[in-house]
Amino acid sequence: MNRNLIIGMFLSLLFVAAALLSFLWTPASTETLNISGRLQAPNWDNWLGTDHFGRDILSMIMVGARTSIAVALVAVGIGMGVGVPLGLAAAANQGGLLDEFISRLNDLIFAFPSLVIAILITAVFGAGAVNAIIAIGIFNIPVFARLSRGAALSVWQREFILAARTAGKSAARISTEHILPNIANLLIVQGTIQFSLGILAEAGLSYVGLGAQPPIPSWGRMLADAQTMVTLAPHVAIIPGMAIVLMVLGLNLLGDGLRDALDPRLKGRRA
Protein backbone atom coordinates (compact mmCIF):
# COMPACT_ATOMS: atom_id res chain seq x y z
CA MET A 1 0.00 0.00 0.00
CA ASN A 2 1.42 3.37 -1.04
CA ARG A 3 1.05 5.61 2.02
CA ASN A 4 2.27 8.73 0.22
CA LEU A 5 -0.35 8.29 -2.46
CA ILE A 6 -3.16 7.77 0.06
CA ILE A 7 -2.18 10.68 2.31
CA GLY A 8 -1.52 12.99 -0.63
CA MET A 9 -4.80 12.10 -2.29
CA PHE A 10 -6.71 12.62 0.96
CA LEU A 11 -5.23 16.08 1.61
CA SER A 12 -5.63 17.17 -2.01
CA LEU A 13 -9.22 15.94 -2.27
CA LEU A 14 -10.05 17.59 1.05
CA PHE A 15 -9.19 21.04 -0.30
CA VAL A 16 -10.75 20.32 -3.69
CA ALA A 17 -13.96 19.28 -1.93
CA ALA A 18 -13.88 22.46 0.17
CA ALA A 19 -13.40 24.55 -2.96
CA LEU A 20 -16.28 22.84 -4.78
CA LEU A 21 -18.54 23.11 -1.74
CA SER A 22 -17.85 26.85 -1.55
CA PHE A 23 -19.77 27.29 -4.82
CA LEU A 24 -22.90 26.05 -3.06
CA TRP A 25 -22.41 26.84 0.63
CA THR A 26 -20.09 28.53 3.10
CA PRO A 27 -20.69 29.02 6.85
CA ALA A 28 -20.88 32.78 6.30
CA SER A 29 -20.56 35.33 3.52
CA THR A 30 -16.97 36.33 2.75
CA GLU A 31 -18.14 39.82 1.79
CA THR A 32 -20.05 40.59 4.98
CA LEU A 33 -18.09 42.62 7.52
CA ASN A 34 -18.70 42.38 11.26
CA ILE A 35 -16.35 44.80 12.99
CA SER A 36 -17.86 44.09 16.41
CA GLY A 37 -16.88 40.42 16.02
CA ARG A 38 -13.36 40.95 14.69
CA LEU A 39 -10.39 38.76 15.69
CA GLN A 40 -12.47 36.21 17.58
CA ALA A 41 -10.75 32.97 18.48
CA PRO A 42 -12.24 29.70 17.14
CA ASN A 43 -15.68 29.14 18.67
CA TRP A 44 -18.96 27.33 17.99
CA ASP A 45 -20.25 30.09 15.70
CA ASN A 46 -16.96 30.56 13.84
CA TRP A 47 -15.07 27.27 13.90
CA LEU A 48 -11.77 28.82 12.79
CA GLY A 49 -12.41 32.27 14.27
CA THR A 50 -12.76 35.62 12.50
CA ASP A 51 -10.31 37.99 10.84
CA HIS A 52 -9.67 41.70 11.36
CA PHE A 53 -12.88 42.56 9.50
CA GLY A 54 -14.97 40.04 11.40
CA ARG A 55 -15.24 37.66 8.43
CA ASP A 56 -15.48 33.93 9.06
CA ILE A 57 -12.03 32.43 8.44
CA LEU A 58 -13.38 28.98 7.50
CA SER A 59 -15.45 30.57 4.73
CA MET A 60 -12.42 32.56 3.60
CA ILE A 61 -10.30 29.38 3.51
CA MET A 62 -12.93 27.54 1.45
CA VAL A 63 -13.28 30.30 -1.15
CA GLY A 64 -9.52 30.94 -1.06
CA ALA A 65 -8.96 27.28 -1.94
CA ARG A 66 -11.15 27.81 -4.99
CA THR A 67 -9.00 30.76 -6.05
CA SER A 68 -5.66 29.00 -5.51
CA ILE A 69 -6.72 25.78 -7.22
CA ALA A 70 -8.22 27.60 -10.21
CA VAL A 71 -5.11 29.74 -10.77
CA ALA A 72 -2.68 26.81 -10.37
CA LEU A 73 -4.79 24.44 -12.48
CA VAL A 74 -5.10 26.81 -15.44
CA ALA A 75 -1.41 27.76 -15.18
CA VAL A 76 -0.40 24.09 -15.30
CA GLY A 77 -2.78 23.61 -18.23
CA ILE A 78 -1.01 26.42 -20.08
CA GLY A 79 2.38 24.89 -19.32
CA MET A 80 1.37 21.44 -20.51
CA GLY A 81 -0.65 22.67 -23.49
CA VAL A 82 2.26 24.69 -24.87
CA GLY A 83 5.33 23.02 -23.38
CA VAL A 84 4.58 19.39 -24.27
CA PRO A 85 4.04 20.03 -28.01
CA LEU A 86 7.23 22.12 -28.06
CA GLY A 87 9.17 19.35 -26.34
CA LEU A 88 7.81 16.69 -28.69
CA ALA A 89 8.63 18.86 -31.70
CA ALA A 90 12.18 19.43 -30.44
CA ALA A 91 12.70 15.69 -29.88
CA ALA A 92 11.37 14.85 -33.34
CA ASN A 93 13.81 17.40 -34.79
CA GLN A 94 16.77 16.41 -32.62
CA GLY A 95 19.87 18.39 -33.52
CA GLY A 96 17.96 20.56 -35.97
CA LEU A 97 17.27 24.27 -35.99
CA LEU A 98 13.90 23.91 -34.26
CA ASP A 99 15.41 21.80 -31.49
CA GLU A 100 18.17 24.35 -30.94
CA PHE A 101 15.74 27.27 -30.89
CA ILE A 102 13.41 25.62 -28.36
CA SER A 103 16.32 24.57 -26.13
CA ARG A 104 17.83 28.05 -26.08
CA LEU A 105 14.42 29.60 -25.40
CA ASN A 106 14.01 27.26 -22.42
CA ASP A 107 17.45 28.23 -21.16
CA LEU A 108 16.57 31.91 -21.45
CA ILE A 109 13.43 31.56 -19.36
CA PHE A 110 15.17 29.35 -16.78
CA ALA A 111 17.92 31.96 -16.40
CA PHE A 112 15.58 34.21 -14.40
CA PRO A 113 13.93 33.44 -11.04
CA SER A 114 10.36 32.47 -11.88
CA LEU A 115 8.64 34.24 -8.99
CA VAL A 116 10.58 37.47 -9.57
CA ILE A 117 9.61 37.56 -13.25
CA ALA A 118 6.02 36.65 -12.34
CA ILE A 119 5.96 39.65 -10.02
CA LEU A 120 7.40 41.80 -12.83
CA ILE A 121 4.77 40.62 -15.32
CA THR A 122 1.86 41.25 -12.97
CA ALA A 123 3.34 44.60 -11.93
CA VAL A 124 3.60 45.72 -15.57
CA PHE A 125 0.27 44.40 -16.85
CA GLY A 126 -1.68 44.88 -13.64
CA ALA A 127 -2.61 42.86 -10.59
CA GLY A 128 -5.30 40.22 -10.85
CA ALA A 129 -5.97 36.52 -11.08
CA VAL A 130 -5.81 36.43 -14.90
CA ASN A 131 -2.37 38.02 -15.07
CA ALA A 132 -1.20 35.76 -12.24
CA ILE A 133 -2.31 32.74 -14.28
CA ILE A 134 -0.42 33.99 -17.34
CA ALA A 135 2.72 34.76 -15.33
CA ILE A 136 2.78 31.35 -13.62
CA GLY A 137 1.81 29.56 -16.83
CA ILE A 138 4.73 31.06 -18.76
CA PHE A 139 7.22 29.46 -16.39
CA ASN A 140 5.50 26.10 -16.58
CA ILE A 141 6.10 25.98 -20.34
CA PRO A 142 9.89 25.34 -20.30
CA VAL A 143 9.49 22.82 -17.46
CA PHE A 144 7.18 20.63 -19.53
CA ALA A 145 9.06 21.34 -22.75
CA ARG A 146 12.38 20.15 -21.31
CA LEU A 147 10.81 17.13 -19.57
CA SER A 148 8.87 15.98 -22.63
CA ARG A 149 11.90 16.48 -24.91
CA GLY A 150 14.19 14.42 -22.70
CA ALA A 151 11.66 11.64 -22.21
CA ALA A 152 10.71 11.59 -25.88
CA LEU A 153 14.33 11.29 -27.02
CA SER A 154 14.68 7.99 -25.17
CA VAL A 155 11.46 6.65 -26.67
CA TRP A 156 12.56 7.63 -30.20
CA GLN A 157 15.39 5.09 -29.90
CA ARG A 158 13.07 2.11 -29.36
CA GLU A 159 12.40 -0.53 -31.98
CA PHE A 160 8.65 0.04 -32.27
CA ILE A 161 9.34 3.66 -33.26
CA LEU A 162 11.67 2.41 -36.00
CA ALA A 163 8.87 0.13 -37.18
CA ALA A 164 6.44 3.06 -37.24
CA ARG A 165 8.89 5.14 -39.29
CA THR A 166 9.41 2.25 -41.68
CA ALA A 167 5.62 2.07 -42.09
CA GLY A 168 5.73 5.65 -43.38
CA LYS A 169 4.23 7.47 -40.38
CA SER A 170 5.15 11.14 -40.05
CA ALA A 171 7.06 12.51 -37.06
CA ALA A 172 3.94 14.34 -35.86
CA ARG A 173 1.85 11.18 -36.00
CA ILE A 174 4.51 9.12 -34.24
CA SER A 175 4.77 11.76 -31.51
CA THR A 176 1.01 11.76 -30.99
CA GLU A 177 0.30 8.02 -31.27
CA HIS A 178 3.45 6.47 -29.80
CA ILE A 179 5.65 8.99 -27.96
CA LEU A 180 3.03 10.86 -25.93
CA PRO A 181 1.34 7.75 -24.43
CA ASN A 182 4.74 6.43 -23.33
CA ILE A 183 5.71 9.62 -21.47
CA ALA A 184 2.26 10.41 -20.07
CA ASN A 185 3.14 9.02 -16.63
CA LEU A 186 6.08 11.42 -16.30
CA LEU A 187 3.91 14.35 -17.36
CA ILE A 188 1.22 13.45 -14.82
CA VAL A 189 3.74 13.32 -11.97
CA GLN A 190 5.36 16.58 -13.05
CA GLY A 191 1.92 18.13 -13.36
CA THR A 192 1.17 17.49 -9.68
CA ILE A 193 4.51 19.02 -8.71
CA GLN A 194 3.92 22.11 -10.83
CA PHE A 195 0.41 22.30 -9.40
CA SER A 196 1.84 22.59 -5.88
CA LEU A 197 4.36 25.20 -7.06
CA GLY A 198 1.48 27.08 -8.68
CA ILE A 199 -0.32 27.17 -5.32
CA LEU A 200 2.80 28.66 -3.73
CA ALA A 201 3.30 31.14 -6.57
CA GLU A 202 -0.32 32.32 -6.38
CA ALA A 203 -0.02 32.76 -2.62
CA GLY A 204 3.24 34.69 -3.08
CA LEU A 205 1.75 37.00 -5.69
CA SER A 206 -1.34 37.60 -3.56
CA TYR A 207 0.86 38.25 -0.52
CA VAL A 208 2.49 41.21 -2.28
CA GLY A 209 -0.85 42.40 -3.68
CA LEU A 210 -0.40 41.19 -7.26
CA GLY A 211 -2.70 38.15 -7.23
CA ALA A 212 -6.48 37.92 -6.90
CA GLN A 213 -7.89 41.26 -5.80
CA PRO A 214 -10.52 42.02 -3.11
CA PRO A 215 -13.23 41.05 -2.48
CA ILE A 216 -12.01 37.65 -3.81
CA PRO A 217 -10.42 35.78 -0.85
CA SER A 218 -6.87 34.52 -1.27
CA TRP A 219 -4.67 32.61 1.16
CA GLY A 220 -1.66 34.78 0.36
CA ARG A 221 -3.52 38.02 1.03
CA MET A 222 -4.97 36.56 4.23
CA LEU A 223 -1.37 36.05 5.41
CA ALA A 224 -0.42 39.58 4.35
CA ASP A 225 -3.37 41.07 6.23
CA ALA A 226 -2.54 39.05 9.34
CA GLN A 227 1.19 39.79 9.57
CA THR A 228 0.67 42.77 11.89
CA MET A 229 -1.73 40.87 14.16
CA VAL A 230 0.27 37.70 14.87
CA THR A 231 0.78 38.51 18.56
CA LEU A 232 -2.78 39.75 19.02
CA ALA A 233 -4.61 36.95 17.19
CA PRO A 234 -2.15 34.28 16.00
CA HIS A 235 -4.90 32.09 14.51
CA VAL A 236 -5.48 34.70 11.79
CA ALA A 237 -2.02 33.95 10.37
CA ILE A 238 -1.61 30.32 11.42
CA ILE A 239 -4.76 28.99 9.72
CA PRO A 240 -4.14 30.28 6.14
CA GLY A 241 -0.47 29.38 6.54
CA MET A 242 -1.40 25.82 7.50
CA ALA A 243 -3.83 25.65 4.56
CA ILE A 244 -0.98 26.47 2.15
CA VAL A 245 1.37 23.99 3.85
CA LEU A 246 -1.15 21.13 3.86
CA MET A 247 -2.24 21.73 0.27
CA VAL A 248 1.33 21.82 -1.03
CA LEU A 249 2.31 18.84 1.13
CA GLY A 250 -0.65 16.86 -0.15
CA LEU A 251 0.17 17.56 -3.78
CA ASN A 252 3.84 16.68 -3.30
CA LEU A 253 2.95 13.42 -1.57
CA LEU A 254 0.45 12.72 -4.34
CA GLY A 255 3.11 13.29 -6.98
CA ASP A 256 5.58 11.10 -5.11
CA GLY A 257 2.97 8.36 -4.76
CA LEU A 258 1.98 8.57 -8.40
CA ARG A 259 5.63 8.31 -9.42
CA ASP A 260 5.99 5.10 -7.42
CA ALA A 261 2.72 3.70 -8.75
CA LEU A 262 3.31 4.57 -12.41
CA ASP A 263 7.00 3.65 -12.62
CA PRO A 264 7.30 -0.16 -12.64
CA ARG A 265 10.95 0.09 -11.60
CA LEU A 266 9.91 1.61 -8.26
CA LYS A 267 7.04 -0.73 -7.44
CA GLY A 268 7.67 -2.69 -4.30
CA ARG A 269 10.73 -0.68 -3.27
CA ARG A 270 8.90 1.67 -0.95
CA ALA A 271 6.27 1.09 1.69
Side-chain angles (χ1 to χ4, degrees):
M1 182 179 295
N2 194 318
R3 289 175 295 181
N4 286 347
L5 181 62
I6 294 174
I7 296 172
M9 187 174 296
F10 172 76
L11 290 174
S12 301
L13 290 179
L14 179 65
F15 284 102
V16 170
L20 293 175
L21 181 60
S22 70
F23 283 103
L24 303 175
W25 173 85
T26 54
S29 172
T30 58
E31 299 181 10
T32 300
L33 308 184
N34 181 19
I35 302 302
S36 62
R38 63 194 298 266
L39 299 179
Q40 289 185 1
N43 55 69
W44 286 111
D45 294 325
N46 306 101
W47 290 358
L48 298 182
T50 59
D51 66 3
H52 60 301
F53 287 131
R55 296 172 297 186
D56 179 63
I57 292 180
L58 177 57
S59 301
M60 298 284 288
I61 291 293
M62 292 173 66
V63 181
R66 187 171 73 196
T67 303
S68 296
I69 290 172
V71 170
L73 185 62
V74 177
V76 170
I78 292 173
M80 294 186 73
V82 179
V84 172
L86 287 177
L88 292 176
N93 190 51
Q94 182 184 7
L97 184 61
L98 180 61
D99 182 24
E100 184 69 17
F101 173 76
I102 293 174
S103 297
R104 297 293 76 77
L105 184 61
N106 289 339
D107 292 340
L108 177 63
I109 297 177
F110 274 129
F112 300 95
S114 58
L115 187 57
V116 172
I117 301 301
I119 292 174
L120 177 62
I121 291 173
T122 51
V124 171
F125 294 100
V130 174
N131 288 334
I133 289 172
I134 295 173
I136 299 171
I138 287 175
F139 286 95
N140 280 326
I141 293 174
V143 173
F144 286 103
R146 180 169 289 184
L147 174 66
S148 57
R149 178 187 180 275
L153 285 176
S154 64
V155 179
W156 271 101
Q157 309 303 319
R158 298 184 182 177
E159 293 182 356
F160 68 89
I161 298 298
L162 178 60
R165 297 176 68 178
T166 304
K169 290 186 178 181
S170 65
R173 187 176 175 184
I174 292 174
S175 295
T176 303
E177 296 181 357
H178 302 288
I179 304 294
L180 187 57
N182 278 279
I183 67 172
N185 59 334
L186 295 175
L187 297 177
I188 292 172
V189 173
Q190 189 64 42
T192 61
I193 295 173
Q194 295 306 121
F195 194 6
S196 68
L197 294 177
I199 297 288
L200 282 176
E202 189 280 329
L205 290 174
S206 295
Y207 183 84
V208 296
L210 296 175
Q213 297 299 295
I216 301 173
S218 171
W219 293 345
R221 196 172 61 254
M222 290 175 69
L223 278 176
D225 293 340
Q227 62 183 346
T228 58
M229 293 170 283
V230 174
T231 56
L232 182 63
H235 70 280
V236 179
I238 292 173
I239 292 172
M242 286 301 299
I244 295 172
V245 169
L246 291 176
M247 182 67 179
V248 172
L249 175 63
L251 288 169
N252 279 310
L253 289 175
L254 179 61
D256 189 58
L258 285 174
R259 183 192 63 189
D260 293 352
L262 295 174
D263 191 338
R265 295 171 298 179
L266 297 175
K267 287 184 178 179
R269 291 188 183 180
R270 301 171 68 171

